[in-house]
C-alpha cells in the first residue's frame, strides 16, 4: 500500500476525478467571466468591449462599498461573536449530564438542517415591527423606545440579518467544537486538576489552545460562508430598504439578473474572487500554522 | 518540472480545452421564423400520427397573488383537459415580484424557457430581445381568439410583423384606486380626501388614533413602482406622465420632484405602517382586509376580493395636488402590449404552446367576467350581470375620464430601469432619501431606457 502511495501516477489517477470536476466547474468558468467583465453584456448579447469601464463603475459605486461593509460586518460578527459563543456552548455541553447533553446535541443540529427559507421566515416573524416576538417582549418590558422596525431600519437591518444567519449555525459549530474537546486526552485535565486549575483556567490553558485545528477549520468555513451570504438577505429584505442590506453576492446577483448588466456582475464576481483569495491567504498566514500533536 | 506536475498541467489543459469547445459551440439559436414556416398542417402531423401520445408542456405562472392563483387553479386546470385532451401541463409556480422576474430571467439566460408563461411588458421585452419568444401571429391571425378580441391592436403584429403576446384585454381596465373603510372613516370623523393636503390631514388624524392610515406594498418599492410615483405626477400634471411615457421629458422635470416630495411627505407623516419597506403583497392586503389600516393603495384587479372581504369598502380616485386637475378626469391604466401570455421560440410543440397561450388568455377573460364582473377586450359571450355598485362606480368613472395614461412601469420601462426604479423607490419609502438623490440616480438610467 505504501508503495502505491509513493507512485506518482497512482496519486494522479486517484486525484483526477476531483481535479476534473474542479477544473470544469470552478477554474474554467472564471475565464468567460473575466471576458464578460470587459464587455457591455446583458446576459444574452455582447454589445461591445468597454475595457475597464465595468470595473471602474463598480469601484466608483457606493452600493458596492456598502455591500462590502455589510459583508465585513457579518464576517466580524461571525468571527468575534458567533464562534466564541459556539465555543462557550461546547464547553458548557461538555460539563452537562448525558441526557441533557443528548438533548443539546439534537437541538444544535436542528437549525442547520432546516431550510433557509423556513429560518428566514421565522426571523421575519420575530422581527415584525407591530406583532413580532422581539418587539412584543420589548414592549412588555416597558422598553417601547427599543421596539424598532428591525428589517426596515438602516441601523439595524444588517445585524438583524446576521443574527438570523449566525444563529442557524451556532449549534452546529458548537457541536464541532465539542467533538474537538472530546478528542483532547483526559490526562491533561487530570494533571491540571491536581495542580488546582478550575473549569475556567483549564478551558483557557488547555482546551482552547488544543482546539486550534478545529478553530481554524471553523474560522475558514464561517468566514467564507459569511462572505457568500445571499439567501437570508434575499428572503428577509431583498437587499432593502433600497440597497442598504445588500451583501457583495447579493449586489452581484442584482446587477447581473435584476438590472440585466452581466458585464458589471462579472466584474463584481472577479473582484470578489480576489477578495476571497486575499482573505484565505491571510487566514493561512496568521491562524494556527503550527500543528499540535497530542 | 517533475513528472507529476507535467501530468497535472497536461490533464488540466485538456479538460479546459474540451470545456472551451463544449461551451463555445454555437448554441441552437432559437429560430423565431419557425412558426411562420410551420403551417398548421405540418404542426398537426405528430398529433395525427400518435393521437394517443400525450404532449408535455411546461407553464410558468405568477403564484403570489390571489387572482393569478384562482385563474390557474379554478379555470386553466379545470378546463385544460376539455380543450387539450392530449396535453399534459406541468405547472411551474414562480412566486411574484422580483422573485418571478429573476426566475424568468434565469430561464431566459439558459435559453431553456417554459413552453408558455405569463409576464409583464418589461420582462417580455428582455425575453424577446434574447430571441426566446415565439412569434404567435401565424397562429393568432385567423383564430377564433383574434375574432373575439374587440381591440384589434391586441392581436395585430408589431412593426416587424410579429406578435409575441396574447392577453384577454382585462389590463386596460385596471387602474389604481385609493380604497378605504367607510366605517373606520366614520368612526374617526374623517371624510374621503379630494386633495393631497386633505389626504395628509386624514393620515395624521388616523395615525393619532392608532390606526395605520394607508396600507401599501413596500417591499422592493412595489406600490411606488407600479403606480404611486406616476399617480403623484398625474395628481399635479397628467401631461408630464404622458410625456414620460412618450420619452418627451425626463425625471428632472420639476413635477416629478414634487411628486416624489409628496410620497416622502406621506412617509414622514406616518401614512404607512412601520417597516413599510419590508411589507409584501399578501401582508399589505391582509392589513387592510383585517381593518388594521384605513386605506389601501391598490389596483382595481383586487376589487372583487376586497368587496368580499370588506363590507364597508369604498374608493376615491387619487386626490389631486393641483386645482387644475380634476381627479375624476384622469386615469392611469395598466395595460401594455406585451403584458400577457408568451410562448417559447424553442418549444418542441410551438403550435400547442401558441394555442395554450391563447387558451390561458381566454381563461383570464372568463375569470374576470365571471368572478370579478369585470369587462375584458376578449368577448367571452358572457353577459356581465349583477355588477356590484362599487364596480359600476369604478367603470363609470373610468369611462368618463377624458385623460387616460398608460402605466410607465408596465408600458415603458426596460429591465434595468425597472430594477433601479424599484431600488430608488424602496429608498424613498424610508423617508430619509431626498427626491434630488432619487432623480440623480434614475435620470441616467432613463436616458438609456429606449436604447
Amino acid at each position: 500500500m505504501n508503495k502505491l502511495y509513493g507512485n506518482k501516477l497512482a496519486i494522479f489517477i486517484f486525484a483526477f476525478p476531483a481535479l476534473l470536476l474542479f477544473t470544469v466547474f470552478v477554474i474554467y468558468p472564471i475565464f468567460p467571466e473575466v471576458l464578460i467583465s470587459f464587455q457591455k453584456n446583458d446576459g444574452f448579447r455582447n454589445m461591445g468591449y468597454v475595457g475597464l469601464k465595468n470595473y471602474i463603475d463598480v469601484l466608483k459605486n457606493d452600493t458596492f462599498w456598502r455591500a462590502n461593509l455589510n459583508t465585513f460586518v457579518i464576517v466580524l460578527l461571525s468571527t468575534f461573536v458567533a464562534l466564541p459563543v459556539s465555543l462557550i456552548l461546547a464547553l458548557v455541553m461538555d460539563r452537562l449530564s448525558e441526557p441533557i447533553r443528548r438533548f443539546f446535541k439534537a437541538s444544535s443540529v436542528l437549525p442547520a438542517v432546516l431550510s433557509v427559507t423556513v429560518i428566514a421566515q421565522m426571523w421575519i416573524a420575530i422581527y415584525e415591527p407591530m406583532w413580532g416576538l422581539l418587539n412584543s417582549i420589548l414592549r412588555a418590558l416597558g422598553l417601547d423606545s427599543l421596539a424598532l422596525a428591525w428589517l426596515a431600519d438602516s441601523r439595524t437591518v444588517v445585524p438583524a440579518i446576521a443574527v438570523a444567519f449566525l444563529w442557524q449555525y451556532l449549534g452546529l459549530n458548537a457541536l464541532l467544537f465539542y467533538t474537538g474537546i472530546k478528542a483532547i486526552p483526559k490526562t491533561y485535565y487530570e494533571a491540571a486538576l491536581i495542580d488546582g486549575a478550575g473549569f475556567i483556567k483549564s478551558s483557557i490553558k488547555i482546551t482552547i489552545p488544543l482546539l486550534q485545528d478545529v478553530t481554524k477549520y471553523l474560522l475558514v468555513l464561517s468566514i467564507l460562508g459569511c462572505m457568500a451570504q445571499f439567501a437570508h438577505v434575499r428572503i428577509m429584505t431583498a437587499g432593502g430598504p433600497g440597497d442598504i442590506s445588500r451583501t457583495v453576492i447579493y449586489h452581484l446577483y442584482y446587477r447581473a439578473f435584476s438590472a440585466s448588466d452581466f458585464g458589471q456582475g462579472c466584474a463584481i464576481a472577479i473582484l470578489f474572487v480576489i477578495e476571497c483569495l486575499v482573505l484565505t491567504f491571510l487566514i493561512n498566514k496568521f491562524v494556527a500554522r503550527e500543528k499540535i500533536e497530542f | 518540472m517533475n513528472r507529476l506536475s507535467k501530468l497535472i498541467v497536461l490533464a488540466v489543459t485538456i479538460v479546459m480545452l474540451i470545456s472551451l469547445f463544449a461551451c463555445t459551440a454555437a448554441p441552437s439559436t432559437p429560430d423565431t421564423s419557425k412558426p411562420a414556416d410551420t403551417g398548421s398542417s405540418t404542426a398537426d402531423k405528430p398529433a395525427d400520427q400518435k393521437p394517443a401520445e400525450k404532449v408535455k408542456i411546461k407553464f410558468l405562472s405568477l403564484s403570489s397573488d390571489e387572482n393569478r392563483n384562482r385563474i390557474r387553479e379554478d379555470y386553466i386546470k379545470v378546463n385544460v383537459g376539455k380543450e387539450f385532451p392530449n396535453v399534459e401541463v406541468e405547472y411551474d409556480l414562480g412566486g411574484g415580484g422580483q422573485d418571478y422576474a429573476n426566475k424568468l430571467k434565469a430561464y431566459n439566460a439558459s435559453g431553456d424557457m417554459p413552453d408558455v408563461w405569463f409576464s409583464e411588458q418589461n420582462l417580455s421585452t428582455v425575453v424577446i430581445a434574447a430571441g426566446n419568444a415565439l412569434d404567435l401571429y401565424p397562429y393568432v391571425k385567423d383564430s377564433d381568439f383574434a375574432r373575439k378580441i374587440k381591440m384589434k391592436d391586441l392581436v395585430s403584429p408589431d412593426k416587424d410583423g410579429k406578435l409575441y403576446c396574447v392577453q384577454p384585454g382585462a389590463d386596460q381596465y385596471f387602474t389604481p384606486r385609493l380604497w378605504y373603510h367607510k366605517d373606520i372613516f366614520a368612526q374617526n370623523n374623517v371624510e374621503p380626501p379630494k386633495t393631497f393636503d386633505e389626504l395628509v390631514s386624514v393620515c395624521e388624524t388616523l395615525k393619532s388614533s392608532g390606526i395605520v392610515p394607508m396600507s401599501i406594498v413596500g417591499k422592493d418599492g412595489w406600490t411606488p413602482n407600479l403606480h404611486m410615483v406616476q399617480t403623484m405626477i398625474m395628481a399635479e400634471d397628467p401631461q408630464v406622465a404622458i410625456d414620460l411615457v412618450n420619452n418627451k421629458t425626463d425625471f428632472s422635470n420639476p413635477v416629478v420632484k414634487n411628486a416624489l416630495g409628496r410620497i416622502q411627505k406621506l412617509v414622514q407623516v406616518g401614512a404607512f405602517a412601520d417597516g413599510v419597506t419590508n411589507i409584501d403583497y399578501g401582508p399589505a392586503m391582509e392589513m387592510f382586509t383585517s381593518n388594521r389600516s384605513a386605506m389601501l393603495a391598490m389596483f382595481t384587479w383586487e376589487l372583487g376580493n376586497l368587496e368580499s372581504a370588506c363590507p364597508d369598502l369604498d374608493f376615491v380616485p387619487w386626490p389631486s395636488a393641483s386645482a387644475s386637475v380634476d381627479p375624476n378626469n384622469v386615469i392611469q391604466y395598466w395595460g401594455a402590449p406585451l403584458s400577457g401570455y408568451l410562448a417559447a421560440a424553442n418549444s418542441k410543440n410551438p403550435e400547442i404552446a401558441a394555442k395554450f397561450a391563447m387558451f390561458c388568455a381566454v381563461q383570464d377573460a372568463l375569470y374576470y367576467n365571471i368572478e370579478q364582473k369585470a369587462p375584458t377586450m376578449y368577448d367571452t359571450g358572457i353577459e356581465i350581470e349583477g355588477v356590484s355598485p362599487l364596480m359600476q362606480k369604478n367603470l363609470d368613472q373610468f369611462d368618463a375620464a377624458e385623460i387616460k395614461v398608460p402605466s410607465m412601469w408596465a408600458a415603458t420601462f426596460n429591465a434595468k430601469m425597472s430594477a433601479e426604479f424599484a431600488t430608488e423607490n424602496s429608498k424613498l419609502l424610508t423617508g430619509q432619501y431626498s427626491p434630488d438623490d432619487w432623480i440623480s440616480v434614475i435620470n441616467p438610467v432613463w436616458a438609456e431606457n429606449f436604447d
Side-chain angles (χ1 to χ4, degrees):
Chain A
M1 186 58 97
N2 284 340
K3 197 179 171 189
L4 190 65
Y5 285 142
N7 185 337
K8 286 178 178 174
L9 183 64
I11 295 171
F12 174 74
I13 290 169
F14 283 128
F16 185 72
L19 199 67
L20 178 78
L21 291 173
F22 186 76
T23 307
V24 171
F25 293 109
V26 179
I27 305 290
Y28 168 71
I30 293 175
F31 289 91
E33 203 156 302
V34 171
L35 201 66
I36 293 171
S37 72
F38 294 110
Q39 297 171 352
K40 184 174 180 177
N41 190 310
D42 64 359
F44 315 106
R45 294 167 296 172
N46 168 15
M47 291 176 277
Y49 284 88
V50 292
L52 291 169
K53 186 178 181 300
N54 287 329
Y55 287 92
I56 293 166
D57 287 349
V58 167
L59 293 171
K60 279 164 80 176
N61 188 333
D62 290 345
T63 309
F64 174 71
W65 293 109
R66 188 181 298 117
N68 269 287
L69 180 67
N70 292 342
T71 309
F72 187 60
V73 167
I74 296 173
V75 168
L76 282 183
L77 283 171
S78 158
T79 310
F80 294 109
V81 179
L83 280 184
V85 170
S86 292
L87 179 61
I88 292 166
L89 284 175
L91 291 169
V92 171
M93 209 189 292
D94 189 41
R95 295 277 161 152
L96 295 172
S97 64
E98 188 53 35
I100 300 173
R101 185 158 53 224
R102 213 176 296 137
F103 167 75
F104 265 88
K105 278 183 190 172
S107 53
S108 299
V109 182
L110 190 65
V113 297
L114 281 176
S115 151
V116 174
T117 312
V118 174
I119 299 286
Q121 290 294 349
M122 186 186 83
W123 280 94
I124 287 173
I126 290 172
Y127 289 135
E128 209 285 330
M130 294 162 84
W131 48 261
L133 181 68
L134 183 55
N135 280 358
S136 299
I137 291 171
L138 289 169
R139 288 191 189 107
L141 295 172
L143 300 168
D144 292 46
S145 61
L146 295 179
L148 304 170
W150 299 94
L151 294 175
D153 190 318
S154 58
R155 296 164 300 171
T156 56
V157 62
V158 175
I161 294 170
V163 166
F165 173 62
L166 299 175
W167 171 84
Q168 186 170 4
Y169 298 103
L170 211 61
L172 189 67
N173 291 348
L175 210 57
L176 289 169
F177 272 126
Y178 173 73
T179 313
I181 292 170
K182 290 319 268 180
I184 298 171
K186 286 260 185 298
T187 49
Y188 293 3
Y189 294 104
E190 286 162 7
L193 194 64
I194 291 164
D195 290 345
F199 168 65
I200 295 175
K201 199 161 190 181
S202 61
S203 295
I204 293 169
K205 297 285 185 184
I206 301 170
T207 314
I208 295 173
L210 293 181
L211 278 176
Q212 67 171 11
D213 275 355
V214 181
T215 307
K216 185 182 176 184
Y217 170 73
L218 285 177
L219 199 62
V220 172
L221 218 62
S222 165
I223 288 176
L224 294 181
C226 291
M227 290 289 283
Q229 171 56 256
F230 172 81
H232 294 74
V233 177
R234 177 72 201 104
I235 299 163
M236 292 176 77
T237 63
D243 52 12
I244 284 167
S245 64
R246 280 185 205 165
T247 55
V248 180
I249 293 291
Y250 189 86
H251 186 51
L252 184 166
Y253 162 82
Y254 171 84
R255 292 301 325 166
F257 288 96
S258 295
S260 293
D261 190 344
F262 272 69
Q264 274 198 29
C266 287
I268 295 168
I270 299 300
L271 292 171
F272 184 68
V273 167
I274 294 168
E275 281 178 32
C276 287
L277 286 175
V278 170
L279 209 61
T280 311
F281 170 78
L282 289 176
I283 294 169
N284 278 320
K285 189 165 175 63
F286 294 111
V287 181
R289 287 180 60 83
E290 285 173 23
K291 191 166 175 62
I292 296 175
E293 301 280 352
F294 48 80
Chain B
M1 197 185 284
N2 64 37
R3 204 172 147 208
L4 181 63
S5 302
K6 281 180 186 170
L7 264 173
I8 291 174
V9 168
L10 184 69
V12 168
T13 310
I14 291 169
V15 167
M16 285 182 65
L17 282 172
I18 292 169
S19 305
L20 192 71
F21 283 118
C23 297
T24 55
S28 52
T29 312
D31 182 4
T32 49
S33 65
K34 201 173 173 184
D37 300 330
T38 317
S40 58
S41 58
T42 51
D44 285 342
K45 269 181 188 172
D48 293 343
Q49 286 163 356
K50 295 175 184 173
E53 193 178 319
K54 283 224 169 192
V55 173
K56 285 187 180 177
I57 62 168
K58 190 174 184 179
F59 171 51
L60 172 69
S61 75
L62 284 158
S63 58
S64 68
D65 80 86
E66 186 64 15
N67 290 332
R68 288 286 134 212
N69 287 340
R70 289 193 62 196
I71 290 167
R72 185 184 59 252
E73 297 299 321
D74 300 345
Y75 284 81
I76 294 175
K77 280 188 181 178
V78 169
N79 297 327
V80 71
K82 288 175 248 167
E83 199 80 20
F84 299 93
N86 288 329
V87 174
E88 188 181 325
V89 182
E90 180 192 338
Y91 295 92
D92 185 353
L93 308 185
Q98 283 297 319
D99 290 332
Y100 189 81
N102 292 329
K103 183 162 192 174
L104 193 58
K105 284 177 187 174
Y107 274 130
N108 194 32
S110 71
D112 185 20
M113 301 297 293
D115 294 274
V116 176
W117 69 93
F118 179 90
S119 74
E120 301 294 357
Q121 172 100 5
N122 55 354
L123 289 173
S124 301
T125 51
V126 177
V127 181
I128 293 164
N132 285 332
L134 179 71
D135 176 17
L136 299 171
Y137 191 61
Y139 308 104
V140 171
K141 62 179 178 184
D142 297 322
S143 67
D144 195 40
F145 178 80
R147 277 188 290 279
K148 289 183 176 175
I149 286 278
K150 289 177 271 184
M151 185 193 261
K152 291 301 171 196
D153 284 354
L154 296 180
V155 284
S156 301
D158 61 15
K159 59 181 170 43
D160 298 323
K162 308 277 176 69
L163 176 72
Y164 291 108
C165 176
V166 285
Q167 53 178 303
D171 285 5
Q172 281 66 16
Y173 289 98
F174 293 140
T175 184
R177 299 294 195 193
L178 187 56
W179 308 95
Y180 69 97
H181 286 290
K182 285 188 280 192
D183 292 353
I184 297 178
F185 268 50
Q187 285 156 16
N188 291 276
N189 295 319
V190 287
E191 291 294 319
K194 292 189 178 70
T195 66
F196 180 75
D197 290 339
E198 287 176 15
L199 176 64
V200 171
S201 167
V202 165
C203 288
E204 285 170 337
T205 307
L206 292 166
K207 176 83 179 169
S208 65
S209 304
I211 298 163
V212 175
M214 192 191 300
S215 176
I216 67 165
V217 185
K219 198 162 191 176
D220 283 329
W222 192 93
T223 298
N225 299 342
L226 268 69
H227 77 82
M228 195 180 270
V229 170
Q230 185 170 346
T231 300
M232 290 298 175
I233 292 170
M234 289 170 60
E236 184 177 335
D237 186 354
Q239 188 56 45
V240 173
I242 296 168
D243 288 347
L244 279 167
V245 169
N246 295 313
N247 195 23
K248 288 181 179 168
T249 186
D250 63 22
F251 286 86
S252 65
N253 192 305
V255 173
V256 175
K257 187 175 172 180
N258 296 341
L260 300 172
R262 280 189 283 277
I263 295 176
Q264 193 181 32
K265 174 85 178 170
L266 287 176
V267 179
Q268 287 166 350
V269 300
F272 311 129
D274 287 345
V276 66
T277 55
N278 219 32
I279 296 178
D280 225 328
Y281 194 98
M285 289 292 294
E286 199 272 335
M287 191 182 292
F288 181 73
T289 53
S290 63
N291 288 8
R292 284 189 289 125
S293 73
M295 291 180 279
L296 169 73
M298 181 51 70
F299 281 84
T300 48
W301 59 57
E302 289 290 356
L303 197 156
N305 298 329
L306 289 172
E307 269 189 310
S308 52
C310 312
D312 64 337
L313 183 73
D314 203 350
F315 74 84
V316 285
W318 273 87
S320 75
S322 162
S324 62
V325 176
D326 173 5
N328 282 299
N329 201 35
V330 290
I331 280 286
Q332 177 192 154
Y333 68 89
W334 181 246
L338 294 174
S339 289
Y341 293 95
L342 288 82
N346 62 355
S347 171
K348 287 177 186 162
N349 304 286
E351 185 173 4
I352 290 174
K355 284 181 177 171
F356 185 75
M358 285 186 269
F359 164 78
C360 290
V362 173
Q363 301 310 304
D364 265 36
L366 287 169
Y367 171 78
Y368 284 112
N369 289 172
I370 296 168
E371 308 284 347
Q372 303 274 13
K373 312 280 184 203
T376 54
M377 294 298 172
Y378 179 84
D379 182 7
T380 56
I382 291 169
E383 282 290 316
I384 301 177
E385 289 173 348
V387 174
S388 71
L390 205 57
M391 174 61 91
Q392 197 57 55
K393 177 183 165 185
N394 170 52
L395 292 174
D396 290 346
Q397 194 265 326
F398 190 99
D399 291 338
E402 289 173 356
I403 304 168
K404 293 189 173 79
V405 187
S407 158
M408 292 189 299
W409 173 275
T412 313
F413 290 176
N414 65 18
K416 187 173 182 178
M417 182 69 191
S418 303
E420 296 292 357
F421 199 71
T423 301
E424 292 305 296
N425 286 336
S426 174
K427 286 183 189 172
L428 195 66
L429 289 179
T430 62
Q432 294 151 4
Y433 193 63
S434 78
D436 287 322
D437 289 337
W438 189 101
I439 291 164
S440 70
V441 173
I442 288 296
N443 239 3
V445 187
W446 175 248
E448 296 176 1
N449 185 62
F450 293 92
D451 286 353

